Amino acid sequence: MMNNLIILPIILPAMIGAILVFFSKSQQIQRFISVIAMTAILIASIWLAIDVYNNGMRVIALGDWPIPYGIPLVADMFATVMVLLSAVIGVCCLFFAFRTIHPDRERFYFYPFYFFLIAGVNGTFLTGDLFNLFVFFEVTLLASYILIVHGSTAFQLRESFKYLAINVFSSMFFLVGIAYIYAATGTLNIADIGRRVAELEQDGVLNVIAVVLLFVFATKGALFPLYFWLPKSYTGPPAAISALFVGLLTKVGIYAIIRVFTVIFHHDLSFTHHFILVLAGLTMLFGVLGAVAQYDFKGILAYHSVSQVGYMVMGLGIFSPLALAGAIYFMVHHSIVKAALFLFSGVAEKITGSTDIRNMGGLLKTHPAFSWLFFITAMSLAGIPPLAGFFGKFSLIVPGLEETHYVVVAVSLFVGLLTLFSMMKIFSHSFWGRQKHSSTQANIKTGGLLITIAPLVVLTIVMGLAAEPIFFYLLDVAHEILDPSIYIESVLGE
Amino acid sequence: MELLMSVVVGVFFMVGTYLLMTRSLIRVVIGINLLSHATHLLLLTMAGLKTGAPPLLNRGETEFSDPLPQALILTAIVISFGITAFTLVLAYRTYKVNKTDDLDQLRGSHDE
């Protein structure tokens, strides 16, 4: 009975999304249902996380098919952390959307696709089958194609076509990878693949498959050199959608990389994980250089999320318990902070009517609460103690030095400096200086918007102050990830 | 037979990739479609073509074909059907709003 809890975070949003289609014309009913549903998802995710922490991994065989043949849902601690994260981001973006999304968009199925996206994201976190992972990727992506083009401005249409083309291309390669894996191992259950790969010894063919899958997930997760689609497609849609995407979509790719490269391909570390480490360094560097060159509020943030993806993958490349714990901490931290920053860009756009920071100025004088909340979040992103970003980077750099990966550590420190620089660029352009918005714009009330972002800001402060207990928990998670036999044995029931 | 199928898949991939890199929107859509056909064929070929009887029990057969790839392909076809439908609509809307189907002109400029 308790095992059925796993399916709630997937089936709730999927069903609610379908129900909401029928109420597309009534704003009130849609909002009412979505608030209740999102709260229910949040409660289910918290419950699942606590349950898995206390009682260990939970596995459910869908349709009661015996496990290597049927599709299992697997909730280990890593998955539950991610599901909880998606619920938190989902709640905040939903409330922000209530106040910013144009009523026309609400009438054109904004909420149904919002929930389908969440269903897809939770599905990718919880599934234990490689083909099922592909299906949930597609659910997520199809919802994201629609949300990204929602509103159909010329800019959005142009950029989303490219977004779609590159993602469909990489999805095809995912299928190719699945076909190869099926030919090589004869199974699609992730745990079962892990066991067979261990027996086969990872070389030749399996390394090729590893690179094909890395290519796929790197495209979805925006790693160097496959990040070029991200900045423009994330600047097109309204802030609530951009925030949801940056909080969840790229994390799906990184989650899949970590899952696949810890359970299945962990036998040839000097090849795969070294490769990943190089990619991580390049991703950080090129992402942040892109951000330095930008003057668009959202553009800077979007390029930054590329560079931050590098940090998460760096944790996997280093492959020690602390580094993986740091990578997961960084994923959580980054989702929260970057979602908050994208929502702040929406607030700034609402006040000044622009996203170009050269057209902004003097926000500190007219909107002090907004400015200081932004400042805290930006400092957290840049990694100033005692905020969460500092501990995220610290826990990656320390194991990086211990394992003597000096180059990537140096790159990450340099990137941290440039991150601080570009956050200060936003702050000095838009918040300091001469007031560039009119006095009527100066009187725009932002309290209602800020209340929806405040939980995220509080979370980043709490994550920083309570870093120690959080890291004890995450080290447990990392140990579980680093010992794939735990995952394999609990799924296959041996 | 598997070898022939591999060559066919390769040709499909080649043509699909070529079309994907052309400038016309509709050619890109066709390219995406061809790529998906190629992957479906690849899935089928990878499990080995017709290695035994249909997987139905109690009919006196001992060797069975693997039914899983066909189930995978069915799912993949349904997904790619949905994606193709959406892509066509999106391509049409992009053409209508931006008044061009040339991806070079859809590159976008800095001053917006």
Side-chain angles (χ1 to χ4, degrees), chain B residues 4-109:
Chain B
L4 182 67
M5 283 297 268
S6 313
V7 174
V8 172
V9 170
V11 171
F12 263 105
F13 257 102
M14 197 170 70
V15 177
T17 313
Y18 173 76
L19 286 173
L20 202 61
M21 290 192 289
T22 50
R23 298 192 308 189
S24 155
L25 281 178
I26 197 72
R27 281 173 186 235
V28 173
V29 178
I30 295 171
I32 288 172
N33 221 345
L34 280 179
L35 278 179
S36 70
H37 291 327
T39 30
H40 300 157
L41 282 178
L42 183 75
L43 267 173
L44 192 67
T45 318
M46 271 305 185
L49 297 166
K50 189 145 169 64
T51 47
L56 296 170
L57 295 175
N58 301 328
R59 290 182 50 170
E61 306 280 354
T62 46
E63 290 279 300
F64 299 113
S65 287
D66 187 355
L68 190 67
Q70 292 156 32
L72 300 186
I73 293 165
L74 257 179
T75 318
I77 286 176
V78 172
I79 291 174
S80 78
F81 174 74
I83 302 271
T84 310
F86 181 74
T87 323
L88 281 171
V89 175
L90 185 66
Y92 180 67
R93 284 281 291 182
T94 311
Y95 168 70
K96 279 289 223 188
V97 173
N98 286 300
K99 305 229 170 23
T100 172
D101 76 332
D102 188 337
L103 277 167
D104 259 3
Q105 289 170 28
L106 290 171
R107 198 182 274 163
S109 53

Side-chain angles (χ1 to χ4, degrees), chain A residues 298-352:
Chain A
K298 280 181 175 175
I300 296 177
L301 297 177
Y303 270 104
H304 263 298
S305 48
V306 173
S307 99
Q308 311 279 336
V309 162
Y311 283 98
M312 302 163 208
V313 182
M314 173 182 162
L316 176 66
I318 296 169
F319 213 62
S320 75
L322 183 59
L324 269 169
I328 299 166
Y329 184 89
F330 205 91
M331 278 166 92
V332 176
H333 146 75
H334 177 255
S335 285
I336 289 172
V337 164
K338 197 41 79 71
L341 287 173
F342 263 98
L343 296 179
F344 282 132
S345 84
V347 178
E349 191 180 355
K350 183 165 184 175
I351 298 172
T352 61

